[in-house]
Amino acid sequence: MTNDDLQKIRVAAADKEDVEFELDRAELVLQEAVAEALVHGEDIAVVAELAELPVEDVAKLAAQDAAPGSVLPF
């Protein structure tokens, strides 16, 4: 195995970690947006449609008790 091979592995692992971080962050932002919309009285079916999620998943997201505004979008 060459140093180039090792470097490719390091870069690939770092890229994967970065994507996982961004996915986690996107999930938090979505959770907060869903919770905030529901607190403001938006219909859960409308929120589910906009989020492209089943109503049950939206209910689960809202139940996780996200604090609106704690994760800022880009």
Side-chain angles (χ1 to χ4, degrees):
M1 187 173 278
T2 67
N3 282 338
D4 190 45
D5 294 334
L6 295 175
Q7 184 61 21
K8 286 179 184 178
I9 292 169
R10 285 185 195 101
V11 169
D15 287 348
K16 181 180 179 229
E17 183 177 345
D18 185 51
V19 169
E20 289 171 345
F21 173 81
E22 289 301 322
L23 180 59
D24 289 345
R25 186 179 179 290
E27 288 176 4
L28 285 173
V29 170
L30 178 60
Q31 179 182 345
E32 289 176 356
V34 164
E36 189 171 343
L38 295 174
V39 165
H40 290 145
E42 192 60 60
D43 183 83
I44 194 168
V46 172
V47 173
E49 182 179 343
L50 291 172
E52 299 179 2
L53 294 170
V55 172
E56 298 79 24
D57 289 353
V58 171
K60 288 177 189 175
L61 280 174
Q64 291 176 359
D65 199 31
S70 65
V71 176
L72 298 175
F74 290 108

